[in-house]
Amino acid sequence: MRLIVGLGNPGREYAWTRHNLGWQVAAHLSELWGIPLNRQSHGALWGQGRVGPEGVILAQPTTYMNLSGRAVSALMAYFKLTPEDLVVVHDDLDVPLWRLKLTKQGGPGGHRGILDIMATLNTEEFLRVKLGIGRPPPHLPTEKYVLSHFPAEDADQVTQLIERAAQAVVTLLAEGLAAAQTRFHGEPADSKDRI
């Protein structure tokens, strides 16, 4: 069984912010897989179902970002899962804008949600699907940047990023990390044609 967690902050005011990309991917996967996020416990909205031969728990923590580890550890304890069963989907400042990066370990990179999960689980070895949001301009504090909304003109690219990240999770489950990295690292296929 796999636990797929999309990180974000609860509340309508955060819905379209850079920091809520993980939540958006979880919502997209909920529709794609037909697994409604209709249960609320363990500090999360979550649902359970099957994707091919594999059992899946899909979750959006409702603890706010910097306490994400509470929800993750509670769900893992309830379902008797290990860090090897965990996939965390989140925004990342160190990944170039609109790109994806899949990893199995590494530091938090300043991401408070990842930092809290690592501290709670006492390990950095769990799968991550990182959605690139790039770095803020010099005059804008990082916290303000990640909690700010995407400009309206970026809507199509945001949607494409969410869809690609969801497909990366699908590939990760079906074919493994190496296959997902090969297919989804780097620029989106159509971005090389843009000026």
Side-chain angles (χ1 to χ4, degrees), residues 3-194:
L3 172 61
I4 315 294
V5 180
L7 298 189
N9 286 303
R12 189 175 297 174
E13 68 271 29
Y14 296 109
W16 193 242
T17 62
R18 292 171 173 86
H19 227 17
N20 266 48
L21 282 171
W23 256 56
Q24 299 281 3
V25 174
H28 188 79
L29 286 168
S30 172
E31 291 184 25
L32 185 69
W33 289 336
I35 300 176
L37 299 170
N38 57 3
R39 305 185 196 187
Q40 186 161 8
S41 60
H42 311 295
L45 290 170
W46 61 277
Q48 186 176 4
R50 295 200 77 78
V51 179
E54 191 152 32
V56 166
I57 298 108
L58 187 59
Q60 297 170 320
T62 55
T63 52
Y64 287 98
M65 183 65 83
N66 61 351
L67 297 174
S68 298
R70 289 186 185 180
V72 171
S73 61
L75 284 164
M76 288 176 66
Y78 182 75
F79 287 102
K80 297 180 173 61
L81 302 175
T82 69
E84 288 185 355
D85 304 315
L86 176 64
V87 179
V88 180
V89 186
H90 64 94
D91 60 297
D92 197 290
L93 290 158
D94 294 325
V95 178
L97 186 62
W98 313 132
R99 295 194 187 186
L100 296 176
K101 184 174 182 182
L102 287 79
T103 63
K104 192 175 181 180
Q105 59 188 32
H111 195 290
R112 292 182 181 179
I114 294 296
L115 181 65
D116 194 58
I117 292 169
M118 288 170 54
T120 306
L121 300 183
N122 199 30
T123 182
E124 62 175 43
E125 295 203 18
F126 52 88
L127 290 163
R128 304 170 210 183
V129 178
K130 305 177 181 186
L131 287 77
I133 60 172
R135 284 276 167 188
H139 65 277
L140 189 64
T142 299
E143 189 169 319
K144 198 164 189 178
Y145 178 70
V146 298
L147 292 176
S148 62
H149 293 79
F150 284 101
E153 60 267 24
D154 287 350
D156 286 347
Q157 286 170 297
V158 175
T159 299
Q160 288 171 24
L161 181 64
I162 290 166
E163 290 173 353
R164 285 183 70 237
Q167 288 303 318
V169 174
V170 170
T171 303
L172 183 62
L173 264 57
E175 302 175 44
L177 178 60
Q181 287 174 327
T182 299
R183 198 170 306 170
F184 292 98
H185 273 192
E187 296 182 56
D190 66 341
S191 70
K192 296 176 180 68
D193 301 325
R194 289 199 294 263

